[in-house]
Every structure is written in C-alpha cells, then in structure tokens.
Amino acid sequence: MFDKTQFPAENVAPTAGHSVFRLWWPGVISGVTWATAFSVTALFPNHVRTPAAQSLEACEIMIIIFSGFSVLLGNMSSFSSLAHHGRRIAALGGAVAVWEVMTAKTGWLPLPFFPSPQAILDVYRVDSERLAQSVFHSLLLLIPGFGLGSLTGFLVGVAMGWSPEARYWGHPIIRLLGPLPSIAWLPIALFIFPTITAASVFLIALATAFPVAVLTASGVAIVDSRLYDVGRTLGASEGFLIRTIVIPAALPNVFVGLFMGLGASFIVLIVAEMLGAKAGLGWYLQWAQGWAAYANLYAALAVMSVLFSSVTMVLFAIRRRLLRWNRETVEW
Amino acid sequence: MVRAAQPNTSETKDFPGASVQVRSVSHAFDNDAQVLPVLGNVTFDVPSGETLALLGPSGCGKSTLLRLIAGLEMPKRGEIGVDHVRVVGPDPSRLLVFQDPLLLPWRTVKENVAYGLEAQGIGKEKERVLQALQMVGLSDFAAAYPRELSGGMAQRVALARVLVNRPRVLLLDEPFGKLDSLTRMTMQEELLMLARRHTFTTVLVTHDVEEALLLATRILVFSSRPAEIILDLENNLSFPRFRDDPEFISLRRQSLVALGHGEEFFR
Ligand SMILES: Nc1ncnc2c1ncn2[C@@H]1O[C@H](COP(=O)(O)OP(=O)(O)O)[C@@H](O)[C@H]1O
Ligand SMILES: [Mg+2]
C-alpha cells in the first residue's frame, strides 16, 4: 500500500557520511561586512577631526575573528542560541561601515551632533570610570526607590482589595493623586527631604507605588469569591486565606503593575538626575550636553538602554519563576 | 439540639457520618432594600450515614441551604445542627463540593489536596494526601497543575481535597453537573463506593432526577422560591439499581410530577 520511497529516513540519526562539512553562511556574510567596516575605519584617512579609532578597530577585528570561527562551527547545535543573532550581527557590520563613511571619513553628517562610531566607542576607553560611577549612582537611587515603592504599593493594594474600609479611604487618594506624574512633586520633595538623594528615592518610590497599588487591588478584587468559601470551609484563617489565595491570585496583576512602575521609575530617575543630582546617568547626559560632547551622550544612552533592558529582563525572569502555574506568556 | 458548640475531637480512621438537623429554617437575601425570600420554613433530619438528595427548580434555594449547613452563612430564622450541636460557622467536618472544581491553579494537585490539612495546622501529611488521591484514582497526577487536568479529573481532585479531611458530612452542590454523561456515570459509581466504604452523611443537590434516584436513600423535592418541601420520598431500592426497574420508574414519575413535569406531555 505504502511506497517505501515515500518515507525517507529523515528521523534516523545522521551517520558519519551524512555530517559533511557545511559553511555557515551568516558567518561568511558577517565576516565580509565587518571586514568592510574595518577597511573603511583603518585604511581611509579621516576627513574630520575624530578621536582615535583603536577601540572600534579592536571591536571590528574581534568580530571578524569570531565570524571566521562561526563559519566553521555555526551549524553545531550548541551554537544555536548565538547563531540566532547571526544575520543581525552581519547587518550591524554594514551599518557601521556606512556610518563611518558618512561621519569620520567624509563629514557628510554635521558635527558635533552626529559623531562617528569610532568616536562613540572611544568614550568607553577614555571615560569608562565616570560612566561606571554614573551607573552605580543611578542604581543607588533606582533599587531602593523601586523596592520601597513596590512593597508599599503591594501592601496598600492588598489592603484595598481585601478590606472595604481600606478601599473607602484609599480610593479617593489614588483617584486624585494617581494621575499626577510623580516628577511634578520634585520641587516639594526637594525642600521636604534633606538630600537630593532622599528626594529622588522618594519620587521613584511614588512613581512605582501607584500603578502597583491599583493593579494589586484590582487583582485581589477579581478573585473568585467561591475560592474563599472553599478555603474557609477547609479551616483557613483570614491570614492563611490572604497568604494562599489572595496574593497568588493577584500576582499576575501585581507584575503588570510592577512593569508599569518600573517604566515610570526610569523616567523619574533620569529627570530627577538631570534636574538636581551631581551624579548618575541623567546627570551624565546633562554634563555631556553642556560640553557639546555628543559622542559621550550617545555612549551614555547606549549604557542606559542596556541597563534598563537588563533590569526589565530580571523582573521578567522573576515573574516567569513565580507564575510557573500560569500559561499566559508575554516574553521580553 | 441546643447544646453548646464543642470542638470536634473524634478522629477515627473511618470517619463516621454525623446526623444533620434542619429545624424551621427560613432565609432571605437583602438586595438593595429589597428582601428576597429564599427558604420558607424548611424542616428535615438526615440520620447519620444517609444519602439525601435535594431536587427543586433552579433558583429555589438549594445551594443556599447547603451553604447554611456548611456554616458559610447563618439562617435568618430557625436552627441547623450537626449531631445536635448548633452550626455557628464553617468547619472542616462539613465540606462542600461545587459544580466547578474550584482548584487553586497555583498549587499542584497534591498541594491542592493538602490545603485543608495545612490550613488546620495538621501539617502536610504526605501519606494522607496520597491516600486521598488514590481513593479518586489520581495518584499519577500528584505533581500536575490543575490546568493539565480534564474536567472530570479536576472534579476528582476537588473530591479528594475534601475527603482527605475525613469529613462527617459531605455537601455536594450539583457536583457532576458539568461533566459529560459517561464521566458522570463513572463518578456516580465512585461516589457510591466511597459512601459505602466510609459512612459519611451526604447531602446531594442535583437537577438530575435519575442521579438522585440512583444515589440517594431519600429524596426531598422543593417548591420554587421561597423553597418549601413538597415531597419527601424514601428510596429503599437495593443496589445495584436499575433504571428500568418498575419501582424506579414509579419513583421517577412521582418526583417529576412534584417538580411540575410529566403530566401533560411526557409520562
Ligand atoms: N449572596 C446572595 N445575595 C443575594 N441573592 C442571592 C445570593 N445567593 C443566592 N441568591 C439568590 O437566591 C436565590 C436562590 O439561589 P440558590 O440557592 O443558588 O438557588 P439554587 O441552588 O436552588 O439554584 C436565587 O434567586 C439567587 O439569585
Ligand atoms: Mg445552585
């Protein structure tokens, strides 16, 4: 009935004869684009005054070598997660080459607003210490502020979701003050708190607490009340109900609030640092702009994006762990 | 009937059923200045170990009656007793199973079953939990999450979550109402076996006359809201019970007539 040739032995493990060497094409293309970028950077004279190209050249050489390896190894399964980015890395090489040409090599894009990639990378060589210090100071505001705000918002939210009395008093406050951008409190925070650090931590906490409280409360409110009946008949005290039913049921919502709060706290962090602080990434942006050091500005923005993206990823990882039971998957 | 409430200390291995007394119970809900009478002067007794079925039109107050026996609400008038001790609140010796399994989705099957023991501070007692899962035939799914279960399996877990506490009164509120007919039949048989092996008292609300006749030793039929008892049927048929047994058919007709069906169009 069935023709044997219709079923080639595809799911049979590859034999020795099968594993013929194959080039990994994204690696080849990446090698070509980055080699082009390197030639442009190193071989052509700069048309405009530009910081040393050594950082960029070092990066380019590293990526070229890496691409060379990947041409040989890219098909191996242990490389698959890195290989996923292959075409992106190749495209970036082309972009760097074009960008170099348009800035350092020809000056088609006007300085100081459009620095060359070699100028931006040189910032990490020359100014890495100040950048690291800025990251450190920003985290010193962000972590306590976000932590304090999350905790406060969570407790307020649970109380408001659970107790009608807490809801009665909490609701008008959240209604009226919630929509106020927390950075609007800056002038008041500055004279209430002894230091600008304390004021900034407070504002970040405020920005986080509101969305977390609102979403936690609504998460608690939508819990199926029949679950409480189940818990109460099985002998659960009020505290046990809150611990084992209210909080886990509200958790998916709590995380939505945490993500909103995190976004708000990034904004407050940078604005507060731009307006008042003497350190931190927001201050660095302000300082770089003051000196018309646009390369430093772009370098700091890149650091910021990596930092904030990492913090967000950490929150997603925590969420994935705590909500294992929940199939709903929004990935970052 | 009117003795002081005592803590339930009897912890026998084969949990013996308790008797239930419902005496002149009336209940009403206050909805926005409007009073909705739900139960009108209901009186009955359930002797220990009996399986009583409650039939009645939808919305007449059957679920409310179960909640009152469970102690989740207090009746507006009248008294409810269990072993002649007045019910003043929920207690793990009187447990409800609902139409929906109402499992906690963030707990695995065995954690769901262990919930009552944890809540009462008895500890996790792995043995008892596994034993309860065995009773409902779900030992292999101890580590699964509720979302991985079918409707019938989830309802079995709900049953195990109740049985692990060795309840003396089992209150079932249309427990098989959402299951397909084959699963329902299997679970009806399992319930019968459980009720025979362990002598708990069962109050079963159902909208299925045949289910009531197959499982119960006695059937109460209620009028529409506010519910009053309009028929009190003994069911002494021996097991196995057959749906085409003339006596079975006669009992079914009596129930249907009391429910307002089976006269004009069907017989
Ligand atoms: N908590 C409540 N508040 C107000 N009305 C309720 C409440 N619970 C039930 N009712 C009303 O009481 C009546 C009886 O409900 P129920 O006992 O669930 O009926 P049954 O289980 O017999 O279908 C229904 O009309 C229902 O709307
Ligand atoms: Mg009901």
Side-chain angles (χ1 to χ4, degrees):
Chain A
M1 192 77 196
F2 290 111
D3 186 354
K4 254 191 173 170
T5 54
Q6 266 187 309
F7 298 97
E10 255 181 355
N11 37 16
V12 174
T15 53
H18 238 93
S19 63
V20 184
F21 172 77
R22 279 181 297 153
L23 290 180
W24 190 62
W25 281 101
V28 176
I29 298 167
S30 169
V32 171
T33 57
W34 282 97
T36 312
F38 177 76
S39 330
V40 169
T41 313
L43 304 181
F44 288 86
N46 288 337
H47 184 265
V48 292
R49 258 179 65 90
T50 308
Q54 65 202 73
S55 300
L56 179 62
E57 283 165 15
C59 283
E60 287 164 345
I61 289 171
M62 256 162 26
I63 296 176
I64 292 167
I65 294 173
F66 186 76
S67 300
F69 278 120
S70 79
V71 168
L72 306 178
L73 306 173
N75 282 318
M76 281 166 59
S77 58
S78 52
F79 262 86
S80 60
S81 60
L82 260 178
H84 177 63
H85 297 293
R87 286 178 295 148
R88 292 171 177 160
I89 293 171
L92 188 63
V96 167
V98 172
W99 183 7
E100 265 290 290
V101 170
M102 304 227 297
T103 52
K105 304 304 172 189
T106 60
W108 287 341
L109 291 175
L111 281 176
F113 309 107
F114 296 100
S116 58
Q118 68 186 60
I120 293 173
L121 270 181
D122 200 48
V123 171
Y124 297 123
R125 186 178 63 86
V126 179
D127 210 23
S128 59
E129 196 177 324
R130 205 194 320 247
L131 272 170
Q133 288 256 326
S134 299
V135 169
F136 177 71
H137 278 104
S138 288
L139 286 177
L140 229 46
L141 297 183
L142 185 67
I143 291 171
F146 182 70
L148 204 66
S150 308
L151 191 66
T152 315
F154 178 71
L155 294 177
V156 169
V158 170
M160 280 180 60
W162 183 251
S163 139
E165 192 67 14
R167 188 156 50 239
Y168 177 82
W169 295 108
H171 197 242
I173 296 178
I174 286 199
R175 263 271 174 87
L176 288 172
L177 302 186
L180 218 54
S182 104
I183 198 70
W185 294 96
L186 183 69
I188 295 169
L190 282 180
F191 79 72
I192 289 181
F193 287 91
T195 63
I196 178 122
T197 305
S200 307
V201 168
F202 168 76
L203 292 178
I204 291 169
L206 200 64
T208 308
F210 274 108
V212 173
V214 171
L215 274 133
T216 304
S218 79
V220 174
I222 58 174
V223 177
D224 187 342
S225 69
R226 293 175 305 169
L227 291 181
Y228 300 144
D229 290 342
V230 169
R232 284 171 62 210
T233 50
L234 287 169
S237 63
E238 192 159 318
F240 193 78
L241 282 184
I242 292 180
R243 211 147 40 77
T244 57
I245 297 181
V246 175
I247 290 177
L251 220 49
N253 256 23
V254 172
F255 272 99
V256 176
L258 286 173
F259 284 113
M260 290 169 62
L262 193 60
S265 63
F266 290 155
I267 297 172
V268 174
L269 171 74
I270 296 307
V271 176
E273 282 178 343
M274 279 178 151
L275 292 184
K278 301 277 178 293
L281 284 168
W283 166 84
Y284 190 97
L285 292 183
Q286 196 72 349
W287 168 86
Q289 197 207 10
W291 290 95
Y294 283 86
N296 294 59
L297 223 144
Y298 287 108
L301 280 177
V303 168
M304 213 184 274
S305 101
V306 170
L307 178 69
F308 290 171
S309 174
S310 311
V311 173
T312 311
M313 260 159 66
V314 168
L315 192 57
F316 262 98
I318 295 173
R319 170 178 170 278
R320 195 164 41 237
R321 243 198 100 63
L322 289 181
L323 299 186
R324 255 182 325 223
W325 54 273
N326 200 339
R327 261 275 174 72
E328 169 216 14
T329 45
V330 181
E331 290 298 329
W332 175 247
Chain B
M1 178 81 211
V2 200
R3 254 190 280 161
Q6 285 170 339
N8 171 22
T9 46
S10 62
E11 260 269 298
T12 45
K13 189 151 192 229
D14 221 13
F15 28 108
S19 61
V20 177
Q21 296 78 42
V22 175
R23 294 288 155 75
S24 319
V25 166
S26 301
H27 197 63
F29 289 108
D30 303 316
N31 294 336
D32 319 309
Q34 199 192 341
V35 179
L36 182 76
V38 173
L39 293 173
N41 199 22
V42 174
T43 298
F44 63 87
D45 268 44
V46 195
S48 161
E50 182 168 289
T51 299
L52 174 73
L54 307 181
L55 285 170
S58 170
C60 74
K62 305 179 295 294
S63 299
T64 306
L65 184 54
L66 285 197
R67 290 173 58 83
L68 293 175
I69 300 173
L72 286 168
E73 268 169 77
M74 292 296 113
K76 284 270 154 77
R77 212 167 298 144
E79 281 182 316
I80 291 177
V82 169
D83 270 352
H84 299 280
V85 178
R86 189 171 176 170
V87 169
V88 291
D91 188 276
S93 66
R94 283 170 271 122
L95 289 176
L96 261 166
V97 175
F98 301 88
Q99 190 170 19
D100 297 307
L102 297 177
L103 301 178
L104 304 179
W106 44 88
R107 288 185 163 232
T108 60
V109 163
K110 78 173 172 267
E111 289 167 345
N112 265 288
V113 174
Y115 189 88
L117 302 177
E118 268 179 64
Q120 296 153 50
I122 301 176
K124 295 222 171 168
E125 293 242 18
K126 267 176 115 178
E127 270 309 305
R128 256 170 91 168
V129 171
L130 292 182
Q131 209 183 323
L133 278 173
Q134 219 158 23
M135 270 194 234
V136 298
L138 280 178
S139 310
D140 293 345
F141 289 84
Y145 278 101
R147 63 169 147 81
E148 301 164 51
L149 305 179
S150 70
M153 285 154 79
Q155 198 60 321
R156 281 199 179 89
V157 176
L159 201 57
R161 172 172 68 181
V162 160
L163 292 176
V164 76
N165 300 284
R166 297 170 183 162
R168 307 185 62 217
V169 180
L170 198 55
L171 305 166
L172 307 174
D173 194 351
E174 308 195 16
F176 313 132
K178 283 198 177 163
L179 303 179
D180 65 86
S181 57
L182 281 179
T183 312
R184 183 184 315 164
M185 243 188 269
T186 317
M187 290 203 57
Q188 286 168 346
E189 281 162 14
E190 285 173 4
L191 180 69
L192 269 179
M193 287 206 286
L194 286 170
R196 280 172 135 195
R197 188 141 17 104
H198 314 280
T199 51
F200 45 70
T201 308
T202 310
V203 182
L204 167 73
V205 168
T206 174
H207 53 243
D208 180 348
V209 176
E210 288 205 350
E211 179 172 273
L213 288 168
L214 285 172
L215 300 180
T217 45
R218 187 173 156 211
I219 297 160
L220 296 182
V221 180
F222 288 97
S223 66
S224 53
R225 201 184 58 230
E228 284 173 43
I229 299 173
I230 52 175
L231 184 66
D232 185 342
L233 268 185
E234 284 294 329
N235 181 3
N236 292 320
L237 295 176
S238 57
F239 292 97
R241 290 174 173 176
F242 298 99
R243 288 166 220 258
D244 53 1
D245 182 333
E247 252 187 281
F248 188 97
I249 294 173
S250 144
L251 287 171
R252 182 173 62 195
R253 181 178 313 150
Q254 287 178 60
S255 312
L256 284 171
V257 168
L259 284 165
H261 297 284
E263 288 209 294
E264 278 178 59
F265 302 109
F266 314 108
R267 240 163 227 270

